[in-house]
Amino acid sequence: MTRGEHLRNLVLLGACAVALTILPHALTVYRRSFVLFTMMYVVLALSWNIISGFTGYTSFGHVAFYGIGAYACAILVADYRWHWIPTLGVGAVLAALIAVVIGYPVLRLKGPYFAIAMLGAAEGTRVVATVWDSLTHGGLGISLPSAETSLETYYAMVTLMLVTIVVAYGVGHSRFGIRLNAIREDEVAAEALGINATLYKLAAFTLSAVFPAVAGGIQAYKVLYIDPPAVFFVQITIAMALMSMLGGKGTVIGPIVGAVILYTAQELTWVNFPTAHLIAYGLFIVLVARFMPRGLVGLAIDRGWVRKGMIH
Amino acid sequence: MDGCSFVVPRGKISGLIGPNGSGKTTTFNLLTGLLEPDGGQVIYNGENLAGLKPYQIFRKGVTRTFQVTRIFREMTVLENMLSVTGLGVPERVARQRAEELIAFVNLGHLRSEYGGRLSYGQQKLLEFVRALMTDPDLILLDEPAAGVNRTLLQHLLDHMHRLQEQGKTIVIVEHDMNVIMNHCERIFVMDYGVKIAEGPPAEIQRDERVVEAYFGRRR
Ligand SMILES: Nc1ncnc2c1ncn2[C@@H]1O[C@H](COP(=O)(O)OP(=O)(O)OP(=O)(O)O)[C@@H](O)[C@H]1O
Ligand SMILES: [Mg+2]
């Protein structure tokens, strides 16, 4: 990509930032939450995409990091009377450490074995959160003291989303990202060509764990009550995957577009047909996998609207 | 492989031949760390490489191509090239080298095409130049000529000689005897995982065991 194109994208992002800063004043509280959660899913999908799209290790357990971030915030705010902002940093660091500990053994597995192991890791985390009463209040969940004006969490989410986009963009247009792609395409060849796959995978995995943890923390402070089933909800992982797939995994813009479209669609169907929404979800997975395996961006590439590859 | 030992002359082009399944590719896999030897040593620049990880061996200056191409299929030709250079090399330098090399094998116009969309011969060529991105000292080529047309093959061979003149060591596995006999200074012959002969081309052509291994009397 040329310097001009990077500059154009930066200007676009800047314009989004300005718009999102002004926007909440023109919105009802309900619409404001809607925008906040849309941004949250952009963060989740983009993060998932770093390990699963760029690097090819499909994770079915990413909700674990989101839940860890949510619990870090809730525990520190409710029981230790911290201000909520620094708890986001604690969640991020904790998620990174746990990502290294889980990732080191689990990233040796490939394909479905990795996916299932991650599913197990997330379930394991949920069980720990449920049984470790003294720390997490177990199945009762945690209520946070209300001090929130919905603007605080809104702006925190805007900031997090912008940071995540910048990082994902940086990864996606660098030789670091290209090397993650090489691991995805053929790990043996990548190793034979000088790439320390173990290290790169661990770096990608850790990076992909940090942002969901911060998102989890913000959402805990937003909704003011969390319990294990809510923040270790498998469907959140599925949403990350599906949003990335719809937009185009392995790209930077894909997960953003996918998250916006799918979260909006989900909200509309959920409001209007509460039961149909799950069926629609299932159907949607099948259709995307069958007819658009490379997502909307893949479609645009085939039509020649977008160039191939991440580095030009 | 068992009891198989040979010394590749530095700064020369050598050939490694043998019937299908004789262990040529396996030898390359042992040299590059894709397989770990149960015993024995791989000495390179006075250092034992056995037991090192593939990326560590690569960083010592040993590179290779694969018999069945291992192009990164959903990455562009340019990305295939850039994925190989160390992050220590400035991107501008890496790009320039990549562009030169892909132009050299007539792939310049395909720089933004996916690797998986190239023809088999083109993939062979891409693999060849991808292996040269880091300026390696020992280059192992597993059947570089298969599927490559005559003109380009000549081009490749010329380039191999140029690399050799720069002091690189090259080992070629190849079934095309013209390539082996006309371009290699030393030839190693394998059969059933052992070295059965070694010598300059003229000698190998006359060697009884080689003829037997290839044309078979009681296999
Ligand atoms: N790790 C291993 N352990 C035991 N046997 C192996 C191993 N790897 C390969 N082999 C066997 O060793 C034999 C030699 O395979 P290799 O690929 O080295 O042959 P080759 O000389 O390259 O043949 P070709 O000319 O067909 O490419 C094959 O029969 C293969 O099944
Ligand atoms: Mg072979």
Side-chain angles (χ1 to χ4, degrees), chain A residues 209-231:
Chain A
V210 167
F211 305 111
V214 180
I218 298 174
Q219 108 59 68
Y221 199 69
K222 162 80 186 160
V223 302
L224 296 174
Y225 171 77
I226 64 165
D227 66 355
V231 296

Side-chain angles (χ1 to χ4, degrees), chain A residues 95-161:
Chain A
L97 290 176
I98 291 176
V100 171
V101 172
I102 295 179
Y104 189 74
V106 167
L107 284 165
R108 288 161 192 258
L109 305 173
K110 296 211 165 44
Y113 302 101
F114 173 78
I116 300 291
M118 281 306 298
L119 191 65
E123 278 302 285
T125 328
R126 185 180 62 79
V127 170
V128 170
T130 312
V131 297
W132 194 350
D133 271 22
S134 58
L135 182 72
T136 65
H137 305 242
L140 284 177
I142 304 175
S143 292
L144 286 83
S146 163
E148 114 103 354
T149 74
S150 68
L151 273 180
E152 259 182 277
T153 46
Y154 177 92
Y155 284 118
M157 198 60 92
V158 172
T159 311
L160 174 63
M161 183 183 74

Side-chain angles (χ1 to χ4, degrees), chain B residues 13 156-166 183:
Chain B
I13 301 179
L156 282 193
L157 291 166
D158 291 345
H159 193 65
M160 263 184 247
H161 285 287
R162 231 173 302 147
L163 290 168
Q164 181 221 338
E165 280 155 22
Q166 290 166 22
H183 299 275

